[in-house]
Structure formats: structure tokens, C-alpha cells
Amino acid sequence: MQQYLTLLQDVIENGIAKDDRTGTGVVSVFGRQARFDLRHHFPLVTTKKLHWHSIVHELLWFLQGNTNIAYLQENKVKIWDEWADENGEMGPIYGKQWRGWETRNGAVDQLQNTIREIRQNPDSRRLLVSTWNVGDLPRMRLAPCHVMFQFYVANGTLSCQLYQRSADIFLGVPFNIASYALLVHLVAAICGLRVGEFIHTFGDLHLYNNHREQAQTQLARAVLPPPTLLLDSAIGADTALEDIRAENIALRDYQAHAAIRAPVAV
């Protein structure tokens, strides 16, 4: 995960001081990219311990097309609590757009359609899923940060590139990397492919001013060996996305330094 630490150092050294929506203040760079070869390791940060349980359940929540945090709360995941309304609703955010983008002719399951195309037309250049639904943005409790991802099939492997318009380098990005790496593994298993690369492309990549000390602590730590992801052999061609469960996903040998606390900018 040296790629992540290099990005973090880049933001600290080259970031421009800017205001932001939350009023916290950031240093920010624009237009960066990191590449992770999923064939050789699973890209989970080891210089601070991440809550793997939350990463898994958040992704499953998206895959279900769910937008109410009740599922997350039932599984003791609190990462969306600050944004939900009094009924736990988030509006038509990621899960809704992935699995049920509304059109005049009914809802479109973008992700399932893309999986079908991967199976039937793997050379397609239209293996895309978008969350930036302009008509729905006003009803979202938080506009999507990771706005579009594209799959690519070559030599029996599945790769994915994510475009993230806004990225919190200290708190958010480590979760995003692990979440999309896990997504690639799941889709590859469903489509009978091996994993390839995860490419993470950033628009506004920023460090909040009240995360600077924590970032320096993390940069001073040694990188530890990466963990191994294990998927249940039951995940295969007949698996529905919404039927994948946390118990189908396991992480082995995750060694990490202690977690580093930092406030969330809401």
C-alpha cells in the first residue's frame, strides 16, 4: 500500500489551501491516480487498522440497492449515520443508482446489466456504472463522491477503473480502495474471471486541516505485509448480487498498526 502513502505525502507537500463545503478547510491537489495489482495482494491499508467489517457491509448495502441505514445499523456500522434523515433515509444514493436508475421506461439495473455484458460481450467499451444522476442529486443526502466506474476484460482477467470526483485522503480513500477492490473480486467470481487491476483516478484529492497530525503519524509507520482475501466457493455464475452475505467473504492475515482516530467532516 505504498501507493496510498505516496498520495498522502503528495497532498501534504503539494496541496493548495482551499475552503470546502463543511467549513473545515483542506489542502487539495487535482488529478491523481493509483494502480493496485489485485493478482498479487489485496490493497487494505496496514499503516492504520481499518474496520473491515464496515467496508464489507457498506458494499453489500450498495449491492442490495439499499438506501436506508437500518441494515448498516443492524450490523453495527455507523459510517453513514451523520448524513441520514430522521427515518434513516439517504435518498437515491449509490445503491439506488447502481441497481435502479429511474427512467421514463422504468428502473435500470446498471450493475446487473454490466455483468451481463461482461459475460456476453467482454470486449465492450460500455462496461460502465454511474452514480452522477443529475436529476436525483437534489434528493440525495450527500452527492456521490465516487461517481463512475468502468470494467475492462482482457486475457481472462477483470480490471476496474474508478473516477472519484472528491476524495478525503485520510478517512475516505482507504475505505474506497478496499471497497472497490472487493467489488472487482466479487464481479470477477460471478463472471468466471480472474482479477486484474484496480485503478483509482481522483479529481479533487484533499486532506482536511484537522487530519494533518494524524496523517503525519501514519506516514511515520512501516508498511506491513498485505492480507489475503478469501471468497466462499459458493459465489459463482448463479449468485445474485443481493444474495452475497458477509459470511461469504473472509480476510486472512490482516496485520496493521493501531487505528488512528480523526473527526469526520459533515
Side-chain angles (χ1 to χ4, degrees):
M1 284 301 291
Q2 186 58 50
Q3 302 99 314
Y4 166 73
L5 297 176
T6 299
L7 284 173
L8 183 56
Q9 188 69 53
D10 180 11
V11 177
I12 290 173
E13 293 181 354
N14 301 306
I16 303 300
K18 296 186 71 176
D19 294 329
D20 72 287
R21 174 185 57 81
T22 73
T24 307
V26 300
V27 289
S28 167
V29 297
F30 186 67
R32 297 294 191 269
Q33 188 177 84
R35 306 180 78 100
F36 304 95
D37 189 342
L38 304 182
R39 297 172 298 175
H40 298 130
H41 71 282
F42 188 80
L44 191 64
V45 166
T46 62
T47 44
K48 65 176 181 180
K49 189 172 184 178
L50 296 185
H51 195 225
W52 175 244
H53 177 88
S54 292
I55 294 168
V56 171
H57 279 288
E58 182 195 46
L59 180 59
L60 296 182
W61 185 58
F62 294 158
L63 293 180
Q64 295 164 10
N66 202 338
T67 58
N68 189 291
I69 64 169
Y71 167 84
L72 298 178
Q73 292 178 331
E74 289 167 6
N75 288 283
K76 299 180 171 56
V77 176
K78 301 179 180 180
I79 55 179
W80 284 94
D81 286 3
E82 288 88 351
W83 288 279
D85 70 14
E86 62 276 9
N87 298 312
E89 293 291 343
M90 286 295 306
I93 61 165
Y94 300 102
K96 172 62 176 174
Q97 304 305 332
W98 288 14
R99 305 302 311 275
W101 180 298
E102 295 293 342
T103 74
R104 288 180 298 177
N105 299 316
V108 175
D109 189 335
Q110 291 190 86
L111 188 53
Q112 190 58 55
N113 288 353
T114 299
I115 288 171
R116 184 178 63 249
E117 280 295 292
I118 290 171
R119 290 169 172 158
Q120 297 178 358
N121 186 18
D123 293 332
S124 173
R125 295 187 289 267
R126 301 180 181 184
L127 305 176
L128 290 166
V129 176
S130 174
T131 57
W132 196 255
N133 187 335
V134 177
D136 277 350
L137 288 178
R139 298 193 293 126
M140 299 181 191
R141 300 289 292 182
L142 183 67
C145 293
H146 29 112
V147 297
M148 183 183 74
F149 55 97
Q150 180 177 4
F151 291 109
Y152 179 83
V153 181
N155 299 322
T157 66
L158 182 73
S159 295
C160 178
Q161 179 168 206
L162 167 69
Y163 180 74
Q164 187 163 353
R165 66 165 182 91
S166 175
D168 170 355
I169 183 67
F170 185 74
L171 285 182
V173 169
F175 266 64
N176 302 140
I177 293 169
S179 179
Y180 276 86
L182 175 56
L183 177 64
V184 178
H185 275 272
L186 292 173
V187 174
I190 289 171
C191 294
L193 298 167
R194 302 184 305 277
V195 294
E197 279 190 296
F198 170 57
I199 301 114
H200 200 163
T201 301
F202 300 94
D204 187 317
L205 181 63
H206 49 269
L207 177 70
Y208 284 99
N209 292 339
N210 56 357
H211 294 172
R212 183 176 289 270
E213 182 178 340
Q214 294 93 326
Q216 295 290 3
T217 297
Q218 186 171 5
L219 286 168
R221 294 174 169 179
V223 175
L224 300 175
T228 300
L229 180 73
L230 301 172
L231 297 183
D232 194 310
S233 59
I235 298 178
D238 296 327
T239 304
L241 291 166
E242 58 272 17
D243 290 339
I244 299 172
R245 298 291 179 263
E247 52 266 30
N248 301 138
I249 301 164
L251 196 67
R252 185 176 67 193
D253 300 329
Y254 182 36
Q255 305 172 56
H257 295 270
I260 304 174
R261 303 295 179 187
V264 176
V266 180

